[in-house]
Amino acid sequence: MTQRTLVLLKPDAVQRGLVGEILSRYEAKGLSVVAMELRTIDAAQSDRHYAEHVERDFYPPLREFVTSGPLVALVLEGDSAVEVVRALNGATDGRKAAPGTIRGDLSLSNRENLVHGSDGLESAAREIALWFPELAD
Ligand code: IDP
Ligand code: MG
């Protein structure tokens, strides 16, 4: 089933010069870029994006991090795109993520873990509408 999912290449990915490396993994898998933009977000956009996490202990430093510099927001499309992106991204904690995944190969951090991918179809629809309202259906 063709799906769309919202992906963020977080500020650590941009700062470390890994945008091309990470994007090439999604493209090599066969996913298509539907929208892509370099953007620096404010606290309000972070709160909307991470609405499910705003009360968590780890959220204030996460917000500091995601608002600290430019990130790349994109929408990827393809067969089972939501699940496929999550698999390519790997487990949340880069120290525990499996080798071969983006986080497993390139991140050594639980917070600065390079990428975000929507965790389900409902989240994908909500997040695409939030980041790229012109694509909302
Ligand atoms: P996910 O990005 O793999 O879906 P979530 O549990 O939804 O992971 O958490 C959102 C983001 O919050 C993570 O990608 C990571 O940047 C950060 N995060 C999650 N848990 C922790 C933690 O325990 N310590 C620090 N940062 C965390
Ligand atoms: Mg999540």
Side-chain angles (χ1 to χ4, degrees):
M1 183 181 48
T2 300
Q3 299 175 346
R4 288 182 172 185
T5 189
L6 188 280
V7 172
L8 301 177
L9 311 185
K10 296 179 182 179
D12 54 334
V14 175
Q15 207 268 327
R16 292 174 60 197
L18 291 171
V19 169
E21 158 80 30
I22 295 169
L23 197 54
S24 74
R25 291 179 179 223
Y26 297 131
E27 289 189 312
K29 185 68 175 173
L31 296 163
S32 304
V33 177
V34 172
M36 179 161 66
E37 189 176 300
L38 187 75
R39 216 185 277 188
T40 302
I41 64 165
D42 60 14
Q45 176 72 356
S46 175
D47 291 355
R48 288 189 289 268
H49 176 73
Y50 282 121
E52 62 172 333
H53 294 319
V54 288
E55 301 301 331
R56 307 284 290 275
D57 286 347
F58 67 74
Y59 183 67
L62 173 63
R63 178 170 54 191
E64 277 300 303
F65 163 53
V66 296
T67 59
S68 67
L71 54 74
V72 178
L74 58 153
V75 175
L76 293 178
E77 182 178 87
D79 190 352
S80 307
V82 171
E83 186 187 343
V84 166
V85 164
R86 297 279 294 184
L88 291 173
N89 287 357
T92 303
D93 187 340
R95 297 166 297 191
K96 296 175 184 160
T101 65
I102 292 165
R103 288 163 170 172
D105 288 349
L106 303 171
S107 168
L108 199 54
S109 169
N110 199 12
R111 177 182 307 119
E112 302 196 8
N113 57 5
L114 297 169
V115 283
H116 166 85
S118 306
D119 65 9
L121 277 177
E122 231 173 85
S123 309
R126 187 188 77 82
E127 292 170 5
I128 290 168
L130 176 60
W131 289 86
F132 295 98
E134 67 276 18
L135 292 181
D137 43 31

